């Protein structure tokens, strides 16, 4: 069985981009509570069989209510923007670290399994690619450091208290419902610019690479992590393929035959250069196999 059944489940960020797809997958066979402040998520993305608690992840009372009696927690709520963490590091830390630690305490109290949305940003600029889970962690942004701290707390909660934790280090997730305006993911931004016929804005020289993984594959990884016995472990979740941002812009222009031209703007503070996952460990331990190619994924988004 690769999807949890008959469990009481909390999905934080469950009205958002990744969380809403995950909650949708779980709701038929489980009791699902969604905790979300609807900052980037939307009420209409929450299946009406789930219970929506509309609150901030830092609202301790709401979080306690949401976590009461749960068997399984998928922690997706976060500030997901590297750029925003550079602009407002304290706020980002409170959301990404403090709130995660408090949620781990609930997992400990409830004896709940805890699946954490970690990030490839923890590795910083790698010495070589593909990146292995044991490679050095030298984050280049507050966001990367916050995700690394929380990722390590998950490991520690397993070691110290026996909490069943699994951290999934997402590479660049894309797909339907990725909407975040200025702070959104690059695919969402480029598609938006292409649709409007506006200039496609590449930061720096565009040589930086990313490993884009479709949200449906990320949902599958979460379900595998929830149903496989392994805990205290961390897994890269990507595709093992990468593309430069420049080539991504060109691919979008060619695929959608847009009138947009590509323009180069200032490099972004905190940006990592190369990113490409090794997913051997997730494949071996969890049976993870991404199904979506970037070409197919992009076509469904136009
Ligand atoms: C993404 C995730 C982050 C984390 C990480 C893991 C988002 C918003 N962020 O960070 O949460 O999981 O991946 O690796 O999903 N770019 C442009 N032009 C634009 C916007 C972006 O050139 O208009 C570039 C940007 O400088 C970067 C690349 O595109 O080199 C990807 O940027 P991003 O914001 O989509 O994602 P990233 O890798 O910073």
């Amino acid at each position: 069985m690769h999807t949890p059944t008959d469990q009481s489940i909390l999905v934080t960020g469950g009205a958002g981009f990744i969380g809403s797809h995950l909650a949708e997958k779980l709701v038929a066979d489980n009791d699902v509570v969604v905790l979300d402040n609807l900052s980037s998520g939307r009420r209409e993305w929450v299946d009406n069989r789930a219970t929506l608690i509309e609150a901030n992840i830092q609202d301790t009372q709401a979080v306690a209510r949401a976590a009461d009696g749960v068997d399984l927690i998928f922690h997706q709520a976060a500030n997901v923007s590297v750029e925003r963490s550079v602009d407002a590091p304290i706020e980002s830390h409170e959301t990404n670290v403090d709130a995660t630690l408090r949620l781990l305490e609930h997992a400990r109290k409830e004896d709940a399994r805890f699946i954490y949305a970690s990030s490839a940003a923890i590795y910083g600029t790698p010495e070589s690619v593909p990146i292995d889970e044991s490679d050095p962690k030298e984050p280049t942004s507050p966001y990367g450091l916050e995700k690394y701290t929380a990722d390590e707390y998950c490991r520690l909660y397993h070691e110290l208290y026996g909490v069943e934790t699994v951290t999934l280090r997402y590479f660049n997730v894309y797909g339907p419902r990725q909407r975040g305006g200025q702070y959104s993911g690059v695919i969402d931004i480029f598609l938006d610019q292409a649709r409007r016929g506006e200039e496609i804005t590449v930061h720096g020289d565009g040589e930086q690479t990313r490993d884009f993984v479709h949200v449906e594959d990320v949902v599958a990884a979460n379900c595998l992590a929830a149903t496989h016995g392994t805990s205290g472990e961390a897994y890269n979740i990507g595709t093992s393929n990468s593309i430069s941002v420049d080539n991504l812009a060109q691919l979008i222009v060619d695929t959608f035959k847009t009138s947009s031209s590509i323009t180069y703007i200032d490099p972004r503070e905190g940006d990592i250069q190369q990113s490409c996952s090794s997913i051997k460990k997730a494949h071996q331990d969890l049976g993870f196999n991404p199904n979506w190619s970037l070409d197919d994924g992009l076509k469904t988004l136009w």
Side-chain angles (χ1 to χ4, degrees), residues 10-15 33-39 43 51-66 77-78 95:
L10 168 61
V11 184
T12 71
V33 173
V34 163
L35 179 89
D36 202 299
N37 65 357
L38 304 183
S39 61
R43 193 180 300 276
T51 305
L52 171 64
I53 298 180
E54 189 183 333
N56 198 288
I57 193 68
Q58 304 208 50
D59 177 338
T60 51
Q61 286 184 355
V63 171
R65 195 152 47 93
T95 302

Side-chain angles (χ1 to χ4, degrees), residues 251-273:
L251 179 64
I252 287 175
V253 169
D254 295 345
T255 307
F256 304 114
K257 310 210 175 347
T258 150
S259 57
S260 297
S261 56
I262 299 172
T263 181
Y264 296 86
I265 58 176
D266 284 346
R268 217 166 62 174
E269 207 80 57
D271 229 16
I272 54 174
Q273 276 306 302

Side-chain angles (χ1 to χ4, degrees), residues 17-157:
F17 164 44
I18 301 172
S20 68
H21 287 284
L22 177 59
E24 206 167 85
K25 173 94 179 166
L26 299 167
V27 80
D29 300 312
N30 301 278
D31 279 337
V32 176
V33 173
V34 163
L35 179 89
D36 202 299
N37 65 357
L38 304 183
S39 61
S40 59
R42 296 211 188 146
R43 193 180 300 276
E44 62 266 29
W45 293 344
V46 180
D47 189 293
N48 56 19
R49 288 167 291 179
T51 305
L52 171 64
I53 298 180
E54 189 183 333
N56 198 288
I57 193 68
Q58 304 208 50
D59 177 338
T60 51
Q61 286 184 355
V63 171
R65 195 152 47 93
D68 188 32
V70 296
D71 307 308
L72 182 57
I73 298 173
F74 292 97
H75 182 33
Q76 307 294 316
N79 157 39
V80 301
S81 167
V82 171
E83 198 177 5
R84 188 155 67 193
S85 81
V86 174
D87 292 346
I90 293 176
E91 182 196 306
S92 188
H93 181 98
E94 286 168 357
T95 302
N96 288 347
V97 182
D98 298 348
T100 303
L101 184 55
R102 282 196 293 269
L103 204 56
L104 275 166
E105 273 297 287
H106 286 290
R108 180 180 164 200
K109 177 171 160 260
E110 302 290 347
D111 200 16
R113 189 167 173 86
F114 190 90
I115 315 297
Y116 176 59
S118 183
S119 168
I122 72 173
Y123 298 111
T125 295
E127 280 162 15
S128 61
V129 288
I131 302 168
D132 216 70
E133 286 82 354
S134 59
D135 282 358
K137 320 291 181 296
E138 291 171 358
T140 55
S141 63
Y143 174 84
L145 184 57
E146 292 152 13
K147 285 279 161 178
Y148 184 37
T149 307
D151 182 299
E152 280 286 284
Y153 265 124
C154 289
R155 183 185 58 75
L156 208 57
Y157 263 61

Side-chain angles (χ1 to χ4, degrees), residues 17 79-83 118-122 143 147 170-173 178 182-187 189-190 193 200-204 206 208-212 245 248 265-268 270-273 275:
F17 164 44
N79 157 39
V80 301
S81 167
V82 171
E83 198 177 5
S118 183
S119 168
I122 72 173
Y143 174 84
K147 285 279 161 178
Y170 301 163
F171 281 63
N172 286 62
V173 188
Q178 184 172 37
Q182 171 201 359
Y183 291 124
S184 194
V186 65
I187 288 186
I189 292 175
F190 283 2
Q193 291 168 332
I200 295 184
T201 53
V202 171
H203 282 293
Q208 67 271 37
T209 59
R210 292 294 184 273
D211 177 347
F212 291 99
V245 170
L248 172 71
I265 58 176
D266 284 346
R268 217 166 62 174
D271 229 16
I272 54 174
Q273 276 306 302
S275 186

